[in-house]
Amino acid sequence: MRVTTAFSRLLRLGKGVLVKKVRFEPDRVVVEVALRRRRLLCPECGYSTRARKDTRPGCSVWRHLDLGVWRLEIHCHRRRLWCPLHGARTEGVPFARPRSEFTRDFECLVAWLATRTDKTTITRVLRVDWYTVGRIIKRVCDDELDPDRLGGLFEIGIDEVSWKKQHNYLTLIADHQRRCVVWGCEGKGETAADAFFEALDPEPVAPSPPPACQPPEPAIMVPFGPCATVPAGHGIPGAWLQDGSELDPHLLARASRLHAIAMDMTGGYAKSVRHYAPQAIICIDPYHVVQLANQALDEVRRAYWNELRSLGEKDAANRFKGARWSLLKRPEKLTDKQAATLARIRTAGGEVWRAYTLKEAVRGIFEHGLSLEDVTILIDRLLSRIARSRLEPFVRLGKTIRKHRDGILAAIRLGINQGRTEALNNKVRLITRRAYGFHSAKAALALILLTCGPITLHLPHELHALGLA
Ligand SMILES: [Zn+2]
């Protein structure tokens, strides 16, 4: 078998790609290929033509999957064409995405690994830097994400996650029924929610004015009989819209199908929801209520710890520093050591222990198996208990819960439970930390969507086996 034939089989670059020459250099294998097809394809829109504008000076280079320990490069001289839509473009190749310096197989391996493992592993195994990984992920995400994913949304959650530094936020929309993140953008609050609703129901493109010729004769199609159409003035009058009037866009808006929207208690999102989807029920996600209770408890603990330190009780202060997780974790998930610490805090009593019992009481509201009536009673009992607690952070929490009582009860009524959001949230937070090294928020978003979105990523060999490559 000739070397070129062997490489053609090995690399599987797609139909119409001819391996012309294989060259070994000190640190890489270079495979020169040519496109056998006659027609030139616009890489952006698939427009094809036989007319060639010219040949691109110099050859294009793509990195392919390594061959053993060798880096492997594909080189190709490409022609250029004139696309009526995009102008002058270098012709597309079947094995790589437009404007990429990597083959699809390589990019698909990068994306798969990025959703599963850490930065150091990827950059070392694949010998690419992290910024490049960010760019690849962005491309794969744009390519793989289903444009119709915002179609069947009925129950969603809207939440933000901080990215890179504090005060840098990404807002994410989760589809509660499919349990995945379907949309995201930079920023948070009302503007971010507005951007989502605009993406959900984009402004229709203004139709081009009708050509100034004779208006068509209105006619009604008849599904039977020898005569296919009925001339104007005969048959049943059609229900035409008056000239200049149009269907109420709200009837067709996807936002109008949203039934429930879960969010936190900060309020920015609610304003936007009331404007764009007034029919949707605003629910307060139990996850956020418990999170606030945890924050209040942490505030009490820190204040107590600072007090101890200022009194010079260093040992006791150090004991409390380690107690943080014993207090914040669910009691059933404590290690033996943490449980012992918690028992000590209990014996000591005082503000920290009282704050802990209040936090557990908040969590208790959202236990499985409680009816709406149970929860209503529990919330009201909790609110009066909190009001009497004399713990400032909890008194504030009580006021917030009172303000959002209806939203919290709506979440219980609709069966929005804490665990569901928590699981997705933890996954998103983990991925966001991995994305810190990317320099654009778009790359971070792409990683979140690839990992938690409605996408199934495959490895190169799986794609080829499924016939998708
Ligand atoms: Zn084009």
Side-chain angles (χ1 to χ4, degrees), residues 337-388:
K337 204 174 156 196
Q338 285 166 337
T341 313
L342 189 65
R344 274 207 306 280
I345 296 171
R346 183 183 183 159
T347 322
E351 285 185 358
V352 178
W353 179 249
R354 269 196 301 134
Y356 177 80
T357 54
L358 285 177
K359 185 269 280 186
E360 281 298 304
V362 172
R363 220 167 55 79
I365 296 174
F366 306 114
E367 285 292 332
H368 280 290
L370 293 179
S371 69
L372 187 62
E373 288 75 35
D374 295 338
V375 176
T376 315
I377 295 169
L378 282 176
I379 282 195
D380 293 337
R381 209 180 277 168
L382 175 79
L383 284 175
S384 65
R385 198 174 144 196
I386 282 180
R388 285 182 276 113

Side-chain angles (χ1 to χ4, degrees), residues 42-47 83-86 89:
C42 169
E44 316 283 340
C45 66
Y47 164 81
C83 168
L85 207 64
H86 299 100
R89 280 285 186 278

Side-chain angles (χ1 to χ4, degrees), residues 7 10 38 51 71 117 254 258 302 378 396 420 468:
F7 267 80
L10 270 173
R38 291 240 177 88
R71 279 172 84 102
T117 186
R254 293 194 280 192
L258 290 171
R302 257 197 325 254
L378 282 176
R396 262 185 286 131
R420 192 168 60 177
L468 296 171

